[in-house]
Amino acid sequence: MNTFIKNDIDINDARMFFLLLIIDTVIGYFLSYKLCIINVAQEGYKISIAATLSKLMISGLQYLMLEFFPSYYLYLLIQLTINFIYLVLMNYYVNNKYNWLKTTNGVINIEEKKLLTKNIKALFLHKIGGVLVMGTDNIIISYYISLSIVGIINSYFMVIGALQTIISSAISGVTASIGNLLTEGKTENSYNVHKKLFFMSFWVVSFVTISLSNTILQFVQLWLGEDQKIDNFTLSIILINFYFILMRGSVERFKEGGGIYYQDRYAPLFELTINLLASVTLVNIIGLPGVFIGTLLSNLLVIFWVKPKMVYKYVFNKKLSKYFLMYFKYLFIGIFPLIITHIITSSLKEIINIYAFLANCFINVLIINLFYLLLFRKSDEFLYFKKLTIEVLNRIKVFICNKKTKINLTIR
């Protein structure tokens, strides 16, 4: 352990921390398998809502604990306990709603078993590669810079990671619906859904990314103190990575829905190799930003084009150029609210108090969304989501009215 961490640490504490994290992971493996039936039933949004609530509860309790009883043991125990309760409750829900699972004996023929095994092996490479790519940055920072910098960076990643989880969970909820759509074999319909999902992803992801670029430094200094500030260049690279990762959400959902894992099974290994070589080289040249530039390069050189290529070739039967035309069109559009909000909030960002922070947030919310509203108000994608929103609100209105009617009848 001292090979990677230059600071003095208590090895017994480190082992216990690692053990608690392993227990948390193992519990997830043993209790999460039943949740797939919720996705298959096209109710993935329920998992998204429950997972988001559990993560918000974990973050809230951990914050309060660190504020009043600072202990990393308690910090990890809160995470382990809430995750366990979340999985137990979700299993209880599945057992009650889908009780036929207890009596059903599934049968898989030889061909299905071979195909399943083939895809699971490929999926394993994707998952391992993804975890290693995202997990090596802290090790490199600790080895080449210091463990204290890892702590500072993780303050930012706590905020960014929470938002990334919420957005990813929301988009992941449509995977089962996409799978059903693809079984219909209507390629053009699938492509139109992809464009709509990509549009929604752009609006949400660009809004969050731009808002973070203007507010996160101010928030972290307000929360943890001015000694936790990092340079703007490093933060910009982190947020660019954040944007690129989330903007491939639509492609990833269609890739998962189409079961395309085997065709690009070695891509994550190439990504990992580039990430390690680039990060280690650049951290020795330019320091902390080099670690995240290495991650960005590995993303751009491999996953950025490989995943959409697989989907456009095997799902949509279209040229990859169509994807990049759409991608860079939206990217170009997103530059304008970025510049506008940066200029307007430049003086507010230097003031470290709650009022300036709230004003900064309000300006970002107003300007970014107003800009997109004016620009996209007549587009097919916007009109589709506008119609969908109105339908949902009408259903909620009808539901509330029915509830009120029942209450009034009961009272009478």
Side-chain angles (χ1 to χ4, degrees):
M1 185 171 290
N2 289 329
T3 303
F4 296 105
I5 300 173
K6 299 303 182 183
N7 306 65
D8 292 328
I9 60 168
D10 188 318
I11 193 68
N12 292 322
D13 282 342
R15 285 171 178 161
M16 287 302 299
F17 298 153
F18 182 71
L19 179 62
L20 289 172
L21 289 169
I22 289 292
I23 292 171
D24 187 34
T25 303
V26 170
I27 287 172
Y29 281 118
F30 278 105
L31 295 177
S32 64
Y33 69 96
K34 286 186 179 179
L35 272 59
C36 65
I37 193 66
I38 300 177
N39 282 319
V40 172
Q42 298 188 42
E43 294 182 338
Y45 68 91
K46 293 182 178 179
I47 296 177
S48 300
I49 293 170
T52 301
L53 289 174
S54 67
K55 289 184 184 299
L56 288 173
M57 189 177 293
I58 288 170
S59 298
L61 290 173
Q62 286 176 334
Y63 173 77
L64 290 173
M65 184 276 301
L66 290 174
E67 186 73 23
F68 299 105
F69 307 101
S71 166
Y72 194 56
Y73 282 107
L74 289 175
Y75 180 92
L76 292 177
L77 283 171
I78 287 171
Q79 177 178 311
L80 193 157
T81 304
I82 300 298
N83 282 337
F84 178 72
I85 293 170
Y86 155 72
L87 289 169
V88 168
L89 290 175
M90 292 304 292
N91 273 261
Y92 178 79
Y93 171 79
V94 170
N95 289 334
N96 278 273
K97 183 162 185 178
Y98 307 100
N99 50 22
W100 50 266
L101 286 171
K102 300 173 184 177
T103 56
T104 301
N105 294 316
V107 178
I108 301 177
N109 61 44
I110 295 174
E111 288 301 317
E112 288 175 332
K113 189 174 182 179
K114 284 182 180 179
L115 180 62
L116 185 63
T117 303
K118 176 181 171 182
N119 279 324
I120 287 175
K121 287 179 179 178
L123 181 59
F124 178 77
L125 289 175
H126 282 283
K127 294 297 183 182
I128 290 295
V131 169
L132 291 176
V133 166
M134 302 309 296
T136 53
D137 286 350
N138 281 348
I139 296 175
I140 293 170
I141 294 169
S142 175
Y143 182 81
Y144 287 99
I145 304 176
S146 74
L147 187 60
S148 59
I149 298 298
V150 174
I152 293 172
I153 289 295
N154 280 339
S155 300
Y156 291 85
F157 275 108
M158 183 181 293
V159 179
I160 293 170
L163 293 169
Q164 185 171 329
T165 300
I166 291 169
I167 296 170
S168 297
S169 298
I171 298 174
S172 296
V174 302
T175 303
S177 300
I178 288 172
N180 287 338
L181 177 66
L182 295 177
T183 58
E184 296 175 3
K186 297 178 180 179
T187 304
E188 202 58 36
N189 283 351
S190 299
Y191 182 62
N192 287 331
V193 171
H194 161 62
K195 289 196 294 184
K196 290 181 176 69
L197 191 58
F198 191 89
F199 167 78
M200 182 188 71
S201 296
F202 165 74
W203 189 313
V204 174
V205 174
S206 62
F207 162 67
V208 173
T209 305
I210 294 168
S211 298
L212 283 173
S213 71
N214 290 317
T215 61
I216 192 168
L217 278 173
Q218 189 180 27
F219 173 75
V220 171
Q221 290 179 81
L222 191 62
W223 173 32
L224 298 172
E226 294 190 24
D227 59 331
Q228 299 295 304
K229 185 177 180 180
I230 62 172
D231 63 281
N232 286 313
F233 181 57
T234 300
L235 178 62
S236 297
I237 300 300
I238 291 171
L239 291 176
I240 291 170
N241 271 319
F242 172 82
Y243 179 85
F244 279 128
I245 289 169
L246 288 177
M247 277 305 296
R248 62 182 186 231
S250 175
V251 164
E252 287 180 334
R253 298 298 77 78
F254 274 90
K255 190 172 181 292
E256 292 171 6
I260 302 169
Y261 300 113
Y262 185 78
Q263 291 86 342
D264 64 337
R265 61 195 179 281
Y266 297 121
L269 301 182
F270 286 108
E271 184 188 16
L272 173 62
T273 303
I274 294 170
N275 180 39
L276 285 173
L277 291 175
S279 294
V280 169
T281 302
L282 291 170
V283 75
N284 284 295
I285 298 172
I286 59 175
L288 182 61
V291 179
F292 303 110
I293 292 174
T295 304
L296 179 60
L297 285 173
S298 67
N299 186 348
L300 293 175
L301 293 175
V302 184
I303 302 299
F304 180 66
W305 63 272
V306 169
K307 285 192 175 184
K309 182 182 178 181
M310 295 297 105
V311 173
Y312 272 65
K313 180 179 179 179
Y314 294 105
V315 177
F316 302 139
N317 298 318
K318 294 186 182 292
K319 293 181 179 179
L320 185 58
S321 57
K322 282 183 170 290
Y323 172 77
F324 285 120
L325 282 172
M326 179 173 64
Y327 195 101
F328 287 109
K329 179 190 80 172
Y330 283 121
L331 181 61
F332 177 73
I333 289 170
I335 291 172
F336 290 95
L338 173 64
I339 294 171
I340 294 167
T341 54
H342 177 73
I343 293 171
I344 294 175
T345 63
S346 58
S347 58
L348 278 173
K349 286 184 281 192
E350 302 302 319
I351 305 170
I352 310 301
N353 65 49
I354 188 65
Y355 303 107
F357 172 71
L358 291 175
N360 191 357
C361 291
F362 176 76
I363 289 170
N364 279 274
V365 171
L366 180 65
I367 290 178
I368 298 168
N369 289 294
L370 186 60
F371 179 87
Y372 288 154
L373 183 63
L374 293 172
L375 185 65
F376 295 121
R377 69 188 186 281
K378 294 182 180 179
S379 68
D380 292 339
E381 290 81 10
F382 177 79
L383 292 174
Y384 169 80
F385 283 108
K386 180 182 177 182
K387 181 183 176 183
L388 194 65
T389 303
I390 291 170
E391 288 176 357
V392 171
L393 291 174
N394 285 334
R395 288 178 185 176
I396 293 171
K397 184 179 178 181
V398 170
F399 176 78
I400 292 171
C401 288
N402 289 337
K403 284 288 184 182
K404 284 182 177 178
T405 303
K406 288 180 180 178
I407 291 169
N408 289 332
L409 288 173
T410 303
I411 292 171
R412 289 175 184 176

